[in-house]
Amino acid sequence: MSEQQGLLEIKDIHISVEDKEVVKGVSLTIGRGEVHAIMGPNGSGKSSLSNGLMGHPSYKITRGEAKLGGKSLLDMASDERSRAGLFLAFQYPVAIPGVTVANFMRSAVLSHRGKDADMSDFRKLFKKEMSDLGVDASFATRYLNDGFSGGEKKRIEILQMSMLQPSMAILDETDSGLDIDALKTVSEGINRYHNDQNGVLLVTHYQRLLNYVKPDFVHVMMDGRLVKSGGAELALKLEDQGYEWVENELGLKAGV
Amino acid sequence: MAKLDSEYTIPDLAPELQRGPTWLQSRRQTLREKFNDLPLPPRGLHLWRYTDPSKFMQAQTAEASATGSRFADLIEQERKHLSESHLAGLVTDFAGRDIKALGVEKLAAKGVVITALSDAVESHLDLVEKHLYGLIGSEMGKFEAMNGALWNDGIFVYVPDNTTVEQPLHLLRESGGAGSAQFPRLLVVVGRNAELTIIDEYGGGSADKKADPAYSNGAVEIYGLEDSRTRYVSLQRNEAATNSYLTHRAKIASGASMLTVPLAFGGALSKQNFGVILNGPGAESNMYGMLFGSGRQHFDNHTLHHHAAGKTHSNIDIKVVLRDKAISAYTGLIRIDETAQTCEAYQENRNLLLSSGTKAETIPELEILNEDVSCSHGATVGPIDPIQLFYLMCRGIQLEAAQRMIVSGFVVPTLNRVPQDMRERITRFVDTRLENV
């Protein structure tokens, strides 16, 4: 980890849901140009960490700090975090009936560019990103995530990321519910987005996404903590041997 | 002038109401007596649980004044639409008594009649006598009897068989000022295989919250004959110190369709009752309504779909948005007669509460007297989903903009059910009101 060039710097973060601590002190630094993966069994606190960093109303950060590009995130409302460059691709994207994908996307882009910004390139950009992600043009006028299949929702999440070009993208279980073709398309989208100036944090249960998006660092999360870190080879070992060997090695129990 | 005496009765009808054909005079007298005989509806009673009926006991009619005082700009704009043929006609109605029809000459050539009801009782006696009071008469209640006795003038619209009125007809009803009462009335007959769109707009009244409120008690009767297609928008955007009571009934024959769009935005107190009787096989009625309340506005809405014949289809979708301390009560009755087999009836009422001081009641009522029907109803009352808000804010959209987006999204699916050509007009009204909600 490039400690000096930290894009996202998390120090000793604790997160509670309904007074139950689910993230129990996580520290992590992600530098520009890096791809990190957090893997862990269900209930280990991966999604809580992602949601807490984005400011989800049910996930309270009780301790620690998180900075993006040197600015503290925790004092910001979720919209400010987004405009500061943080992005979360949701594990379960939310349906907003009555709001079309195109209108929503326009509002989101406008909020990032400022309300007097030139939006003349919007339509063209939107069309291109949709086509690159294999999203049918008809989705532009459909209501956001309303009746979309799991795969469609995930593509729309990546579409939003491509349009907003955040400096730091957290992808929460983006691979779940995807068939192999969708997984490839979505991975290509992530790879197109990623460059040496931005950071990616993949949060996933399985290794298969990491076949397509190569992580520089892999962290294992258990019981609210990052218990082990390594390179891409760690993901392969987890795929091969499950999480049990980590537990045994560290004397932990998973998923508690 | 009609006046209520100290016992809240109408002692006699003003001379100006004792004109016209004998049958009409006698109907008015019967209705006056009915009004006097009926007690105020008790508060516990079905449709009066949420609203104090004494708020509607007011009968001092407004003095005639220059029509369109408040609507001069709107009338000017509609004149332009008339000249560009975007509008079939414009009827202005001041205080339910001063009726003027503009641009209706072209329609007259097709046999379409748009005129003051007081003229129609002479010129189209057969039609008026057959239909007036046929849907809203003394049997409906005290306030319906009140309008029936006291309407000073109303609007009469008749579309002959096989005639299509392509552009909408705009009825612009302006209430009088503080302390005034008006009794607007509308009678519409849409002939066999004929087509008509009406925008029935109620505005004006009093804005002065320190003075007595303005009061409007309206009655709307619409007949859709066989295979006719009628679209009726009721737009209530009264001034802030205006109490209004409106009863609407439509009856549609076999193969006829009726679209009713109730939009209630204004006034201090607004009680409305929209009902469609599906009276012949193949009849179809859809109601897509929206209600936005803020401040201390009080809305009490009732809908009725009465399936009096088999193979009929009805659908209701009413959206309510409230903020501050606004109140809405909605009761929706679906009645399916024993002989009305193979009907479909759907009803949905969703309420979005933007402030903790708001209150919404939603009560579906079903009276289904046979088994061979498809029927469903749904109702929700709740605040903005914080997770929806979070999702939008995660994309950089600010809190207020995100809220506006969700509110707009809440009503858009209902709005989109309205045919494209009408939607544009309605969207304008909705957007204007939404800006302040």
Side-chain angles (χ1 to χ4, degrees):
Chain A
M1 271 175 268
S2 48
E3 296 290 346
Q4 285 168 338
Q5 289 279 304
L7 169 65
L8 179 68
E9 294 178 320
I10 304 169
K11 279 193 191 134
D12 192 31
I13 282 280
H14 292 248
I15 299 174
S16 290
V17 180
E18 291 173 350
D19 294 331
K20 183 175 185 284
E21 190 164 67
V22 288
V23 175
K24 304 170 179 174
V26 166
S27 297
L28 176 65
T29 300
I30 296 177
R32 292 185 188 277
E34 293 177 358
V35 176
H36 290 238
I38 293 183
M39 301 183 69
N42 291 331
S44 58
K46 309 184 297 290
S47 283
S48 302
L49 178 64
S50 315
N51 281 306
L53 287 173
M54 201 68 227
H56 189 295
S58 306
Y59 297 80
K60 300 273 178 269
I61 296 188
T62 55
R63 225 164 87 192
E65 57 182 73
K67 286 182 178 173
L68 182 64
K71 280 188 228 164
S72 175
L73 288 171
L74 303 187
D75 304 331
M76 299 181 188
S78 298
D79 60 314
E80 296 170 301
R81 296 184 199 196
S82 166
R83 295 197 299 275
L86 186 65
F87 181 89
L88 171 65
F90 280 60
Q91 181 178 6
Y92 303 110
V94 181
I96 320 265
V99 176
T100 63
V101 172
N103 272 346
F104 159 69
M105 208 61 253
R106 176 177 285 274
S107 301
V109 169
L110 197 62
S111 76
H112 278 251
R113 291 185 185 177
K115 72 178 192 313
D116 301 320
D118 178 17
M119 291 289 283
S120 55
D121 61 331
F122 173 79
R123 192 183 294 259
K124 205 172 144 191
L125 189 65
F126 184 49
K127 267 190 165 165
K128 184 188 172 299
E129 294 295 347
M130 282 213 293
S131 126
D132 285 351
L133 282 162
V135 175
D136 191 87
S138 67
F139 273 73
T141 55
R142 286 184 59 181
Y143 297 149
L144 184 60
N145 294 323
D146 193 18
F148 292 12
S149 72
E152 287 161 352
K153 287 180 186 169
K154 297 301 173 76
R155 286 176 203 242
I156 297 293
E157 292 295 293
I158 300 304
L159 173 73
Q160 295 175 38
M161 181 179 75
S162 315
M163 293 293 292
L164 295 175
Q165 288 293 315
S167 58
M168 179 69 224
I170 304 172
L171 309 176
D172 188 7
E173 307 269 1
T174 294
D175 51 335
S176 70
L178 295 185
D179 63 24
I180 191 70
D181 291 331
L183 182 64
K184 275 188 188 167
T185 316
V186 160
S187 306
E188 284 163 15
I190 300 169
N191 288 329
R192 267 197 310 277
Y193 152 77
H194 182 52
N195 59 36
D196 60 3
Q197 285 306 305
N198 60 32
V200 175
L201 176 60
L202 305 168
V203 175
T204 179
H205 188 84
Y206 300 105
Q207 193 269 339
R208 60 179 200 153
L209 175 65
L210 309 183
N211 289 333
Y212 301 96
V213 184
K214 293 275 177 249
D216 302 302
F217 302 93
V218 174
H219 313 277
V220 180
M221 190 162 187
M222 281 185 177
D223 191 25
R225 295 181 183 88
L226 298 185
V227 295
K228 195 169 180 57
S229 295
E233 74 291 342
L234 181 55
L236 292 169
K237 191 168 179 189
L238 287 169
E239 175 82 349
D240 195 37
Q241 303 185 15
Y243 289 101
E244 212 169 308
W245 69 268
V246 187
E247 290 164 35
N248 295 337
E249 187 183 292
L250 300 171
L252 288 171
K253 272 181 108 179
V256 178
Chain B
M1 288 301 115
K3 266 190 182 149
L4 294 178
D5 64 14
S6 55
E7 309 208 299
Y8 285 134
T9 58
I10 306 168
D12 204 0
L13 294 176
E16 61 189 26
L17 298 179
Q18 299 186 35
R19 291 189 298 242
T22 333
W23 66 267
L24 180 57
Q25 290 189 37
S26 102
R27 284 308 287 269
R28 281 191 191 275
Q29 289 296 351
T30 312
L31 287 156
R32 181 184 68 82
E33 287 156 18
K34 188 82 185 177
F35 172 81
N36 291 343
D37 292 347
L38 285 168
L40 263 193
R43 287 299 302 274
L45 196 73
H46 180 222
L47 293 178
W48 291 98
R49 199 170 301 146
Y50 303 101
T51 302
D52 178 2
S54 71
K55 303 266 191 202
F56 301 122
M57 292 300 282
Q58 192 178 327
Q60 179 70 50
T61 48
E63 297 297 337
S65 77
T67 304
S69 51
R70 225 182 287 261
F71 290 125
D73 291 350
L74 182 56
I75 290 172
E76 200 43 51
Q77 187 192 332
E78 290 296 58
R79 276 181 192 277
K80 198 162 158 270
H81 287 145
L82 274 172
S83 66
E84 291 164 354
S85 301
H86 294 317
L87 199 64
L90 172 69
V91 183
T92 58
D93 165 356
F94 178 77
R97 54 190 296 142
D98 185 8
I99 312 287
K100 291 193 179 75
L102 300 170
V104 298
E105 303 78 16
K106 235 189 271 180
L107 291 169
K110 293 167 110 176
V112 177
V113 180
I114 300 166
T115 182
L117 197 47
S118 60
D119 291 335
V121 292
E122 311 284 349
S123 62
H124 296 81
L125 177 65
D126 292 353
L127 277 169
V128 176
E129 189 173 3
K130 186 173 170 194
H131 294 105
L132 188 67
Y133 299 123
L135 299 173
I136 304 173
S138 57
E139 74 294 341
M140 280 190 73
K142 192 170 179 74
F143 296 101
E144 286 76 9
M146 190 181 200
N147 177 292
L150 298 181
W151 67 269
N152 188 327
D153 208 347
I155 301 170
F156 174 68
V157 179
Y158 169 66
V159 183
D161 294 352
N162 303 309
T163 304
T164 295
V165 178
E166 272 150 21
Q167 302 301 334
L169 172 66
H170 189 172
L171 314 180
L172 188 54
R173 333 275 213 110
E174 181 176 358
S175 287
S180 73
Q182 33 263 309
F183 300 92
R185 195 158 186 117
L186 172 65
L187 175 62
V188 179
V189 180
V190 183
R192 290 181 185 80
N193 190 36
E195 193 170 316
L196 176 68
T197 299
I198 291 180
I199 314 242
D200 194 8
E201 178 171 358
Y202 295 79
S206 171
D208 183 357
K209 290 183 177 172
K210 291 189 189 107
D212 287 341
Y215 167 52
S216 163
N217 174 340
V220 173
E221 293 173 295
I222 304 176
Y223 294 81
L225 305 191
E226 286 78 1
D227 302 313
S228 61
R229 295 165 299 280
T230 311
R231 306 189 298 182
Y232 174 77
V233 178
S234 172
L235 171 62
Q236 187 274 92
R237 43 177 187 165
N238 288 324
E239 296 289 339
T242 305
N243 295 340
S244 61
Y245 183 92
L246 178 79
T247 303
H248 156 280
R249 279 295 175 275
K251 184 154 96 174
I252 54 175
S254 65
S257 70
M258 175 68 67
L259 170 67
T260 310
V261 183
L263 305 171
F265 300 160
L269 171 61
S270 168
K271 184 164 170 65
Q272 302 186 309
N273 179 341
F274 291 91
V276 178
I277 302 148
L278 298 99
N279 206 40
E284 177 178 344
S285 171
N286 294 295
M287 271 191 209
Y288 304 133
M290 278 160 269
L291 185 163
F292 305 145
S294 55
R296 290 179 175 272
Q297 282 185 294
H298 179 120
F299 295 90
D300 181 340
N301 275 3
H302 177 65
T303 64
L304 164 74
H305 265 150
H306 178 184
H307 293 254
K311 297 193 173 63
T312 49
H313 182 111
S314 74
N315 189 16
I316 291 185
D317 174 0
I318 308 260
K319 294 277 172 68
V320 175
V321 181
L322 302 175
R323 92 166 326 146
D324 306 329
K325 298 194 165 176
I327 290 175
S328 164
Y330 168 76
T331 48
L333 171 62
I334 296 172
R335 174 181 297 155
I336 302 182
D337 289 352
E338 195 178 347
T339 51
Q341 307 273 331
T342 328
C343 290
E344 283 180 63
Y346 306 104
Q347 181 173 299
E348 188 180 300
N349 169 233
R350 301 201 180 280
N351 298 266
L352 187 60
L353 308 183
L354 303 180
S355 320
S356 56
T358 56
K359 225 162 73 182
E361 295 280 351
T362 171
I363 301 153
E365 303 167 311
L366 306 176
E367 289 178 19
I368 296 170
L369 305 177
N370 79 75
E371 308 262 300
D372 183 17
V373 296
S374 255
C375 194
S376 75
H377 60 87
T380 57
V381 178
I384 286 183
D385 178 357
I387 304 307
Q388 288 188 337
L389 208 53
F390 172 59
Y391 187 78
L392 293 179
M393 290 178 72
C394 281
R395 301 307 183 234
I397 300 169
Q398 288 174 345
L399 176 65
E400 285 193 357
Q403 282 173 335
R404 265 201 309 278
M405 228 167 164
I406 292 170
V407 173
S408 156
F410 176 72
V411 297
V412 156
T414 304
L415 201 55
N416 282 350
R417 297 177 123 169
V418 176
Q420 176 82 43
D421 61 315
M422 292 170 78
R423 203 185 307 152
E424 221 167 275
R425 271 179 168 270
I426 292 169
T427 303
R428 211 178 56 208
F429 303 136
V430 169
D431 286 350
T432 310
R433 183 65 181 102
L434 270 183
E435 277 167 24
N436 305 314
V437 166

